Amino acid sequence: MGFKERLRDEIEYRGLLVKEVSAAVGISNSTFLSYIDARGVLPNVETAVKIARFLGVTVEYLVDGDDGSNLRSDLNQRQKNLNDSKDGLSSAKKQLNESYDKLSSHDKSILIKIAAAMSQ
């Protein structure tokens, strides 16, 4: 599996559309499509970093599939740690966490995008 397959898989995993990713990264749909179609064009480094950040993975993961660098694993571990130590959280964070847990996968994905955009 190469860059284009991992990129395609991450987009599908998150339930995103190509036009959403290309708009978020600031490139045209046709340019983005060249990264995931049969042409298999590789983006420049700056664009690859933007794509990886938007998808919540590392460039290394997209390039070589190193699961140890996959931020999804890191996020899952952080969520587990958070659940294990809820008593140490402020009431606002507890409320946010409880609300998040009640969301559908799709709504969680949207909320994460909003939080990422707001924190930039």
Side-chain angles (χ1 to χ4, degrees):
M1 183 182 294
F3 180 88
K4 71 179 181 180
E5 291 86 7
R6 277 188 283 285
L7 179 57
R8 216 178 344 203
D9 286 351
E10 286 300 319
I11 292 168
E12 183 178 318
Y13 173 78
R14 286 167 172 66
L16 298 170
L17 300 174
V18 169
K19 66 181 180 178
E20 292 174 299
V21 181
S22 62
V25 173
I27 58 175
S28 70
N29 275 346
S30 61
T31 297
F32 193 85
L33 285 171
S34 72
Y35 305 151
I36 61 174
D37 67 12
R39 292 173 280 179
V41 174
L42 292 174
N44 65 40
V45 173
E46 290 177 7
T47 302
V49 168
K50 288 178 184 178
I51 292 168
R53 282 185 180 156
F54 179 76
L55 295 174
V57 298
T58 63
V59 174
E60 290 85 358
Y61 170 74
L62 291 175
V63 172
D64 65 18
D66 181 6
D67 286 335
S69 298
N70 186 342
L71 290 182
R72 188 180 324 138
S73 297
D74 293 343
L75 290 173
N76 288 340
Q77 183 59 46
R78 284 187 213 155
Q79 181 64 39
K80 182 184 180 308
N81 293 344
L82 182 63
N83 289 339
D84 290 345
S85 63
K86 277 187 180 180
D87 292 335
L89 294 176
S90 70
S91 62
K93 287 183 180 179
K94 284 182 185 177
Q95 183 180 7
L96 181 60
N97 194 45
E98 289 170 3
S99 297
Y100 178 83
D101 288 343
K102 295 176 186 176
L103 296 174
S104 68
S105 295
H106 177 71
D107 289 343
K108 286 178 182 177
S109 175
I110 292 170
L111 183 60
I112 289 170
K113 290 178 203 172
I114 292 169
M118 292 177 70
S119 65
Q120 289 182 354

